[in-house]
Amino acid sequence: MEFNAALFHEFAEALNSENGYRLAKTLSPDIPNERLRAIFRSQNAHSIKNALKRGLQGNAALTLDHQTVQGWVEIYAAYWNATGVILTARESDNDSSKSSNLVWTKVYEAWTELLNALLRGYQTFGFEAFTIPCLYVVCKHLRAFAIQADEERNRNAPFDNGATAFQDDFDPETNKHQKLEDCARVLSRVFMVCQTDRAPLEESRKWGSYYIANLLLKTYFKLNSASLSKNILNSLRAGGRDMPDFSLFPKSQQVTFKYHEGVLAFLEENYIQAEECLTEAWNLCHKNAMKNKELILTYLIPCHLIKSHTLPTEKLLEPFPRLQKLFLPLCRCIKRGELHKFDLALQEGEDEFVKRRIYLTLERGRDIALRNLLRKVFIARGFEEAKEGEKPVRRTRVPVAEFAAAISLGSQENIDNDEVECLLANMIYKNHMKGYISRQHGIVVLSKSGAFPGTGV
Amino acid sequence: MMPTWPTAPPSGAQPSTAYTASYSAPAYTTVPVRQSFGQSYSTPQPSHPAAHTYGPSHSTPPSAANNATNVNSPSPAAQDQAKTKIDWPDSVRRYVQRAFIPANLDSSVTRSEMEVKLKETITQANEQGVMYTLDWDKMPLPQQMIREERARALLPLNSKPQIPVAAQAAATKKRKSWDLTDSATPDSSSATPPWRTGAGRLEDRVTFTTDRRLASAELPKTSKFNRADKRQKRHEGEYTTFREDTPPPGEGPVVGTCQDLEKRYLRLTAAPKPSQVRPPHILRQTLELLKKRWKKDQNYSYICDQFKSMRQDLTVQRVRDDFTVEVYEIHARIALEKGDLGEYNQCQSQLKGLYRLGLEGKANEFKAYRILYYIHTANRTELNNALADLTAAEKKDKAIKHALDVRSALALGNYHRFFQLYNDTPNMGAYLMDMFVGRERLAALCNICKAYKPDVPLRFVTEELYFESDVEAAQFILDHDGQELLEDRNGTIVFLTGKAGSRFEGARAKAFSRVDIKGQI
């Protein structure tokens, strides 16, 4: 929207109807070049503030106090300034010959100015809470610009390191995410501005907490500093009493938050909590949000594997070709107890698993594969000679050598009895198998009632 | 070389506020650019001479002293112009505008200085009757002229009249918030509070923060404090000249000139002095000396100290080559041998970066250590990252494969294989494995106690858990309150696993919960 009557009209309309999302649209950089150019050309640096002041104040339908107008003038002036910088950046992206002078860094800086102006609106000019979607839009793009600025800088000077003079050692990672780290700091300030608002709930900025928290968590994930995320979760938890009920926030924010909370628990190997959060996210997720559902399942499936030893059905995975490729080969091997093939499948998908941080969890699926193999041995041994009129009882004394044969066959490796015993001891220790090993006799004595808990035998 | 004059650059902000407030009849009020700080008109302030805002330490053009009068009562010529309502040519307007676009602003030149200069230039042109004929688009901007004048004045002292970029940025940043009525801007945090402006503040003496000094100079100054301010400026001037040989950070690596082989490590609090930094060819000799010393004396605290100072010298000179790798590798190995994991970890993270630069060294050896180290610290995230970084070829390397196998054996609880691997560790990995072998033994013992009934020979424990002898195995069990579990049966000692219950679980949980390393967060 050009910076003339059109903007002022839209501004007044949005403010009058208390429509924060409509208002936020006037601050979006996510518009085609021509429109950006139209905005930028509709004003000039010398007269913009006065023009804005007149325009924003002059609307008869609005009665804004001097301070509020002042705040918005600063914001739109900063926005206008940013449009110019963004235009230059976009143009130089298309023209590869000029792309060396860090244009996106300038965009990031200009955009930070806008965010600062906006924050001042809340901190000193008393902006109303319904305008927080403006914060959403500005913060969301700040993160995007930070990433772009970092990429651009790393492309141009991958190892330029200016800030080393006072350190004993240099850190090659320092500069890699310079702007994104800065962005995380800025966002956490925004988060606090939302979180610490003491106005009554109906008009509190606390309603913005989860959106900003989600952005922050996303940023921390990208920065690989999951530990910082803890602070956000703690802060939200600590403010629990004064916060609006979680279920009152938009569902989209709930899903994203629960997903992040779940993945964090997953990374800490707290599979109980991870399963809980991810299940919640799964249930709340919009049925057509396939990308999100895929992300949730990526962590929920390994959770189930570890916790309840259940595998996804083919029907569940049907709409997700990527997940099929990721999980199905592994699942088949686990089900059939094929150790060697399991190892191969794990190796096959290793890069992808490691990238998604699920390798170390899936690896433990081997235990389930092994249990299934041992269970086969147990079943193959059949029953004791049945006495008349009684239920047949399985033969529960299994020579270690039989298990050893099965394991050696299954893993296609020659494994000595001591190692087999070690594996069996593990099964028993982890409650995959009930019974004990008698080293003296070289046999495993399995429980008569449920030798393999949870599997029906 | 730090220029002496920017120590007290007159700021953009407050001084000019005072100036604009008292400026009653400017010669060129119609210049549009001034509207942007129209705010300041509304708050009249007591007018005081603008001259005091120029720090005495910067040698302003000779006319500076007269500026005060110029400012408060515009020169007769200017007044005449204002009266006669000269219709300024567009070229002149453009020139004035150009002078004030933010990109052209110079933080070392105040607005009032610029305005005086502009006035001078334009008046002169008008008087000489060349106003319409001059090529104003090619005319140097007032700030340029002022800079040149200063440079000329400073030439014998300082040949480089450039203000550091950081200071410039700080000043421009500051300027952006000057017309806000409220000072609670995020930027304001960088300004120095008024109670910290006393002369000779500690940080002015010990640190080298240009922008902080700038900030202090930007504070509004009333004539009451004028003399104290001048005194402070003078002091600051002294200090900067005194420290002339220390380059500001970020201007490029130091080139060392120190010729001593040995140097004690001292954490830097200011930019290093070249005279105390050893250049690479000296450091090479140092390394040879240290190697010999280490073989002879095995004095770790001495060696560690010396290596740290070597690393420091390399870093400040930005030396990143094969030699750097060698230094870090040797230090890492020595630290490993002595179990100094904090120091080892520092070296390791440096090496990671150095290898990534494409430097050769013993990358695989240290990548293997890193995996073992993360196993020890139970750092799942980093372990995952380390795995992600490995290439297919690296995974086949003997040492790396060993480390990966160790990891996998532990993940699956395969203690049998783990202890086999422990017994056959390449390079110095065993030093790292020693760190966590105890807790793995406890874990395995828990396993055995739950799985085997009614008992196992002690020898079995000795062999499975790779104790040196039955005695050592027995001692381990005794150390963890297992007295009653050992029984002598016809000359062979048996371990009563059936009676152990969850006796070792507590110790196991404790061993896994605490990974305490010096130097590690």
Side-chain angles (χ1 to χ4, degrees):
Chain A
M1 201 162 322
E2 284 158 54
F3 269 32
N4 51 31
L7 170 82
F8 305 138
H9 178 73
E10 183 69 13
F11 176 78
E13 288 282 305
L15 231 52
N16 269 336
S17 56
E18 304 212 339
N19 188 339
Y21 287 96
R22 185 168 170 185
L23 187 61
K25 272 196 187 140
T26 62
L27 290 173
S28 170
D30 202 7
I31 47 178
N33 280 356
E34 310 84 68
R35 289 185 48 207
L36 269 185
R37 200 169 292 122
I39 292 176
F40 190 61
R41 288 194 179 154
S42 62
Q43 290 294 338
N44 69 63
H46 309 304
S47 58
I48 180 158
K49 284 195 181 172
N50 272 346
L52 282 171
K53 207 167 165 187
R54 276 195 303 277
L56 299 180
Q57 212 163 25
N59 198 305
L62 272 177
T63 45
L64 293 175
D65 57 79
H66 175 74
Q67 291 246 301
T68 315
V69 172
Q70 174 74 39
W72 284 108
V73 165
E74 294 301 325
I75 290 165
Y76 281 109
Y79 175 73
W80 175 84
N81 182 42
T83 54
V85 190
I86 293 170
L87 267 176
T88 322
R90 285 192 189 170
E91 275 157 12
S92 98
D93 263 8
N94 294 335
D95 180 2
S96 53
S97 62
K98 294 194 284 187
S99 64
S100 62
N101 42 4
L102 302 184
V103 282
W104 287 104
T105 302
K106 289 186 190 112
V107 172
Y108 176 78
E109 278 155 11
W111 202 254
T112 312
E113 286 299 315
L114 169 60
L115 181 56
N116 283 337
L118 191 55
L119 275 182
R120 275 197 293 271
Y122 292 99
Q123 287 173 316
T124 57
F125 299 131
F127 282 10
E128 289 183 73
F130 77 84
T131 56
I132 42 177
C134 297
L135 267 183
Y136 297 175
V137 166
V138 174
C139 287
K140 184 177 127 186
H141 287 98
L142 183 74
R143 182 176 176 273
F145 290 143
I147 292 172
Q148 253 169 314
D150 284 335
E151 276 172 5
E152 178 188 57
R153 199 189 46 254
N154 292 336
R155 222 175 19 243
N156 288 326
F159 293 108
D160 182 36
N161 211 329
T164 51
F166 293 133
Q167 284 155 14
D168 297 343
D169 295 322
F170 75 94
D171 182 0
E173 302 283 304
T174 342
N175 251 9
K176 203 170 139 209
H177 291 300
Q178 196 190 26
K179 288 290 175 258
L180 195 59
E181 275 164 14
D182 184 64
C183 172
R185 278 189 291 275
V186 175
L187 285 180
S188 75
R189 218 172 64 215
V190 178
F191 176 73
M192 289 321 284
V193 167
C194 290
Q195 179 72 5
T196 54
D197 187 15
R198 297 215 195 141
L201 273 192
E202 311 77 69
E203 50 199 71
S204 168
R205 293 190 294 267
K206 285 197 157 98
W207 290 100
S209 294
Y210 277 98
Y211 186 96
I212 305 294
N214 282 337
L215 263 185
L216 252 182
L217 291 174
K218 216 164 146 180
T219 310
Y220 287 147
F221 271 62
K222 177 130 185 147
L223 288 173
N224 237 337
S225 46
S227 48
L228 288 171
S229 316
K230 274 272 152 218
N231 301 337
I232 300 299
L233 297 188
N234 289 341
S235 166
L236 285 170
R237 234 168 260 149
R241 222 160 12 98
D242 306 325
M243 283 287 282
D245 195 72
F246 183 62
S247 62
L248 296 176
F249 282 86
K251 272 215 178 96
S252 56
Q253 294 179 19
Q254 291 184 43
V255 173
T256 315
F257 183 75
K258 279 290 159 191
Y259 166 75
H260 282 126
E261 201 183 359
V263 175
L264 276 174
F266 182 92
L267 293 177
E268 286 169 10
E269 300 188 72
N270 183 350
Y271 295 115
I272 301 169
Q273 208 205 335
E275 192 177 23
E276 208 174 279
C277 294
L278 291 170
T279 309
E280 214 172 312
W282 172 257
N283 289 336
L284 286 168
C285 193
H286 191 279
K287 66 179 177 9
N288 291 332
M290 299 311 274
K291 177 90 200 326
N292 289 350
K293 282 165 90 174
E294 189 176 308
L295 282 172
I296 296 170
L297 282 181
T298 309
Y299 297 94
L300 192 52
I301 290 174
C303 267
H304 278 299
L305 178 65
I306 293 290
K307 271 225 44 229
S308 52
H309 314 144
T310 46
L311 299 169
T313 59
E314 295 201 12
K315 186 163 169 289
L316 175 75
L317 295 184
E318 211 176 76
F320 308 102
R322 282 238 301 270
L323 292 183
Q324 282 179 25
K325 208 167 146 258
L326 209 57
F327 291 121
L328 277 185
L330 220 47
C331 290
R332 259 179 231 128
C333 305
I334 293 175
K335 209 175 222 163
R336 296 181 194 151
E338 295 168 333
L339 292 181
H340 183 60
K341 283 191 185 159
F342 177 89
D343 294 342
L344 288 182
L346 195 65
Q347 224 172 52
E348 179 77 15
E350 185 175 327
D351 292 345
E352 199 63 28
F353 296 144
V354 168
K355 208 177 93 196
R356 287 159 198 267
R357 304 286 186 261
I358 51 176
Y359 178 83
L360 300 179
T361 309
L362 289 177
E363 187 185 32
R364 288 163 59 178
R366 197 177 196 269
D367 278 343
I368 312 300
L370 178 62
R371 181 202 64 187
N372 291 348
L373 177 67
L374 300 179
R375 183 172 169 273
K376 276 185 180 175
V377 175
F378 178 62
I379 289 172
R381 286 180 52 82
F383 297 87
E384 299 281 357
E385 275 179 45
K387 290 173 191 147
E388 283 298 316
E390 275 181 34
K391 245 174 76 184
V393 179
R394 290 197 177 275
R395 301 168 70 176
T396 51
R397 291 169 170 258
V398 188
V400 171
E402 285 192 24
F403 283 135
I407 293 175
S408 291
L409 210 65
S411 64
Q412 303 196 359
E413 276 177 85
N414 201 6
I415 291 176
D416 65 46
N417 276 11
D418 280 347
E419 188 170 349
V420 169
E421 277 184 23
C422 166
L423 292 174
L424 293 173
N426 251 295
M427 288 285 111
I428 295 169
Y429 187 73
K430 290 176 183 162
N431 273 333
H432 291 315
M433 197 162 94
K434 266 168 84 180
Y436 64 87
I437 307 167
S438 168
R439 173 129 182 113
Q440 206 182 346
H441 301 102
I443 57 165
V444 180
V445 181
L446 291 171
S447 164
K448 286 197 173 72
S449 55
F452 293 90
T455 66
V457 289
Chain B
M1 181 94 127
M2 185 66 195
T4 45
W5 51 264
T7 49
S11 77
Q14 284 83 358
S16 76
T17 314
Y19 160 58
T20 43
S22 60
Y23 199 136
S24 47
Y28 37 88
T29 33
T30 48
V31 175
V33 71
R34 306 207 42 198
Q35 290 173 353
S36 61
F37 46 108
Q39 229 82 55
S40 44
Y41 287 110
S42 56
T43 50
Q45 290 179 9
S47 71
H48 29 72
H52 77 266
T53 58
Y54 307 127
S57 68
H58 81 225
S59 358
T60 31
S63 65
N66 306 329
N67 281 354
T69 44
N70 282 348
V71 160
N72 285 321
S73 54
S75 70
Q79 270 175 340
D80 286 343
Q81 280 167 20
K83 274 178 203 149
T84 49
K85 288 247 175 224
I86 290 174
D87 193 11
W88 303 102
D90 280 345
S91 56
V92 175
R93 285 168 191 275
R94 272 203 308 279
Y95 172 66
V96 175
Q97 280 182 14
R98 190 155 58 91
F100 284 95
I101 9 180
N104 288 339
L105 286 180
D106 185 331
S107 57
S108 66
V109 182
T110 56
R111 209 161 263 267
S112 39
E113 275 181 290
M114 274 174 65
E115 283 166 358
V116 169
K117 192 79 209 167
L118 267 178
K119 205 189 305 168
E120 196 185 310
T121 317
I122 299 171
T123 313
Q124 208 177 8
N126 194 28
E127 277 165 5
Q128 290 170 359
V130 289
M131 192 162 71
Y132 290 86
T133 48
L134 266 181
D135 188 355
W136 289 98
D137 291 339
K138 288 196 181 132
M139 193 73 173
L141 291 174
Q143 52 265 56
Q144 284 168 341
M145 295 193 218
I146 293 172
R147 268 203 306 263
E148 277 162 24
E149 278 171 17
R150 281 179 187 165
R152 249 175 277 137
L154 282 169
L155 211 53
L157 282 172
N158 191 327
S159 55
K160 200 173 151 204
Q162 252 313 331
I163 187 157
V165 184
Q168 253 171 9
T172 13
K173 214 174 187 180
K174 192 76 195 107
R175 186 171 296 132
K176 280 190 183 148
S177 56
W178 71 6
D179 54 356
L180 283 166
T181 47
D182 197 299
S183 65
T185 66
D187 292 340
S188 67
S189 58
S190 63
T192 316
W195 57 86
R196 294 187 57 194
T197 52
R201 282 172 301 142
L202 184 62
E203 54 267 55
D204 283 331
R205 280 178 279 139
V206 295
T207 62
F208 198 80
T209 42
T210 1
D211 43 28
R212 201 179 286 158
R213 216 174 291 134
L214 264 180
S216 76
E218 271 170 14
L219 282 161
K221 292 177 182 76
T222 59
S223 46
K224 194 178 157 199
F225 295 117
N226 210 0
R227 207 171 288 169
D229 284 333
K230 276 182 183 165
R231 209 163 36 236
Q232 184 193 346
K233 299 284 160 47
R234 212 159 41 229
H235 283 298
E236 282 171 348
E238 274 168 24
Y239 281 116
T240 35
T241 41
F242 173 67
R243 278 200 256 103
E244 247 174 348
D245 57 343
T246 52
E251 266 204 357
V254 180
V255 178
T257 55
C258 177
Q259 300 294 310
D260 304 337
L261 286 189
E262 288 165 277
K263 177 181 137 188
R264 293 225 53 177
Y265 168 71
L266 201 69
R267 202 184 162 83
L268 287 174
T269 50
K273 288 200 180 78
S275 61
Q276 290 169 8
V277 173
R278 293 162 293 181
H281 70 273
I282 298 289
L283 289 172
R284 278 174 204 276
Q285 297 172 29
T286 306
L287 183 64
E288 290 313 311
L289 175 79
L290 292 183
K291 279 190 200 161
K292 274 185 211 132
R293 281 279 179 99
W294 177 238
K295 263 187 210 139
K296 211 176 92 210
D297 307 335
Q298 293 270 316
N299 178 350
Y300 181 66
S301 61
Y302 165 81
I303 283 289
C304 183
D305 189 70
Q306 289 295 321
F307 265 97
K308 279 171 90 84
S309 77
M310 244 171 108
R311 281 158 47 188
Q312 190 181 63
D313 283 356
L314 287 169
T315 307
V316 297
Q317 299 179 88
R318 308 232 180 119
V319 179
R320 277 171 229 165
D321 54 19
D322 292 342
F323 176 67
T324 317
V325 174
E326 198 185 341
V327 169
Y328 278 101
E329 283 181 348
I330 293 177
H331 193 188
R333 289 200 194 99
I334 293 176
L336 259 191
E337 195 178 328
K338 288 292 160 188
D340 183 354
L341 282 190
E343 212 57 56
Y344 161 76
N345 189 35
Q346 283 181 28
C347 293
Q348 154 187 285
S349 53
Q350 292 300 300
L351 283 169
K352 186 176 157 192
L354 291 166
Y355 295 143
R356 199 173 292 166
L357 286 173
L359 296 168
E360 286 282 327
K362 299 269 183 287
N364 287 348
E365 177 189 337
F366 280 88
K367 277 180 183 169
Y369 294 157
R370 184 153 67 239
I371 294 168
L372 293 175
Y373 176 77
Y374 291 141
I375 294 172
H376 169 53
T377 55
N379 190 339
R380 212 173 117 102
T381 320
E382 282 302 327
L383 190 56
N384 220 324
N385 291 342
L387 287 185
D389 284 346
L390 292 177
T391 65
E394 284 170 341
K395 282 179 197 158
K396 289 195 185 101
D397 175 81
K398 185 171 169 253
I400 293 180
K401 190 174 181 317
H402 172 269
L404 289 176
D405 286 345
V406 168
R407 190 206 60 75
S408 144
L410 287 180
L412 295 171
N414 193 334
Y415 54 83
H416 181 86
R417 186 166 290 177
F418 169 76
F419 287 108
Q420 278 179 343
L421 289 164
Y422 173 52
N423 199 34
D424 182 26
T425 311
N427 304 326
M428 294 173 70
Y431 284 109
L432 278 163
M433 290 185 74
D434 281 342
M435 306 266 179
F436 55 90
V437 80
R439 73 176 188 217
E440 296 307 333
R441 278 186 173 137
L442 273 172
L445 211 56
C446 288
N447 255 322
I448 290 173
C449 286
K450 188 166 181 200
Y452 288 91
K453 304 257 153 82
D455 51 48
V456 291
L458 182 64
R459 175 52 57 86
F460 171 70
V461 176
T462 309
E463 283 171 0
E464 278 297 279
L465 308 191
Y466 268 88
F467 285 110
E468 296 280 325
S469 62
D470 286 357
V471 179
E472 203 189 315
Q475 189 60 48
F476 185 80
I477 293 169
L478 292 177
D479 285 348
H480 294 93
D481 288 340
Q483 300 86 317
E484 307 100 80
L485 302 179
L486 294 173
E487 194 179 285
D488 191 343
R489 202 177 282 165
N490 308 328
T492 50
I493 298 171
V494 292
F495 178 43
L496 304 174
T497 51
K499 283 191 188 159
S502 49
R503 185 176 303 243
F504 300 108
E505 291 293 344
R508 173 185 180 273
K510 210 171 141 210
F512 275 89
S513 70
R514 186 169 43 88
V515 186
D516 195 12
I517 294 159
K518 191 182 120 221
Q520 174 96 338
I521 313 152

